[in-house]
Amino acid sequence: MPTAIRLATEFAIQEAGSGNYVQADGSLGGTAVWQTAATWGTKTVTGLSVNTSYSFQVKARNGASVETGFGSSASLYTLANTPGTPTVNNATASTLDVTVAVNSNPSGTQFAIQETGSSNYVQADGTLGGTAGMANSRYLGYHCREWSCFSHFLYFPGESPQRQ
């Protein structure tokens, strides 16, 4: 019976955090899938959680099935879900309570709250960045945006990354 001989180097891609391997269909599974670089091409990995860091590493094997160790890993966060409409209530002459609708984002997700009339953001101490205060007669609208980090860039969905 003939034996198949592999002449090309093959690669297996592992998600380092879970130890699962990228499968031929892009899902993650427990068994290594070996393919040539040309066959792997650019693979979209599916079934990932929102706003979660994933690290991928690759190892190779030669035609005699001798495997290397894993190379260096590369990491990236998936995007956060767009937050829902915030709740604004408990108005006084100079304050409002704004509650973020997290829309199934994990607990570590950070949100920015922007006052839509001035485009200023609510600061950690509750003040609006760079403004003198809120006028009693002015309607203040708010919307929230999620933050997603990509390496040393900070960006909001639908916008170009901005260097931080």
Side-chain angles (χ1 to χ4, degrees):
M1 177 173 214
T3 303
I5 298 175
R6 286 186 312 276
L7 299 176
T9 302
E10 295 178 317
F11 302 90
I13 306 167
Q14 183 186 55
E15 195 288 304
S18 67
N20 287 323
Y21 289 87
V22 177
Q23 304 297 293
D25 65 359
S27 64
L28 293 175
T31 304
V33 172
W34 295 94
Q35 298 186 123
T36 64
T39 302
W40 276 117
T42 298
K43 183 62 64 180
T44 299
V45 180
T46 60
L48 305 178
S49 297
V50 300
N51 197 22
T52 302
S53 177
Y54 290 93
S55 296
F56 293 90
Q57 56 190 9
V58 178
K59 65 180 176 177
R61 73 177 181 188
N62 64 16
S65 295
V66 176
E67 297 179 17
T68 66
F70 285 104
S72 299
S73 65
S75 299
L76 188 66
Y77 271 84
T78 53
L79 295 177
N81 287 328
T82 301
T85 303
T87 302
V88 181
N89 55 24
N90 297 327
T92 71
S94 61
T95 65
L96 296 169
D97 289 343
V98 180
T99 304
V100 175
V102 299
N103 191 22
S104 302
N105 282 299
S107 62
T109 304
Q110 297 179 11
F111 296 89
I113 302 172
Q114 184 183 41
E115 190 275 312
T116 56
S118 68
S119 296
N120 288 309
Y121 287 89
V122 176
Q123 306 300 303
D125 65 2
T127 61
L128 290 175
T131 62
M134 295 182 270
N136 291 338
S137 61
R138 186 168 145 205
Y139 169 77
L140 298 177
Y142 289 86
H143 67 272
C144 300
R145 304 166 88 170
E146 72 283 4
W147 292 8
S148 295
C149 296
F150 172 78
S151 184
H152 61 285
F153 290 91
L154 174 68
Y155 66 100
F156 300 104
E159 296 179 6
S160 298
Q162 300 173 5
R163 200 174 281 280
Q164 295 298 302

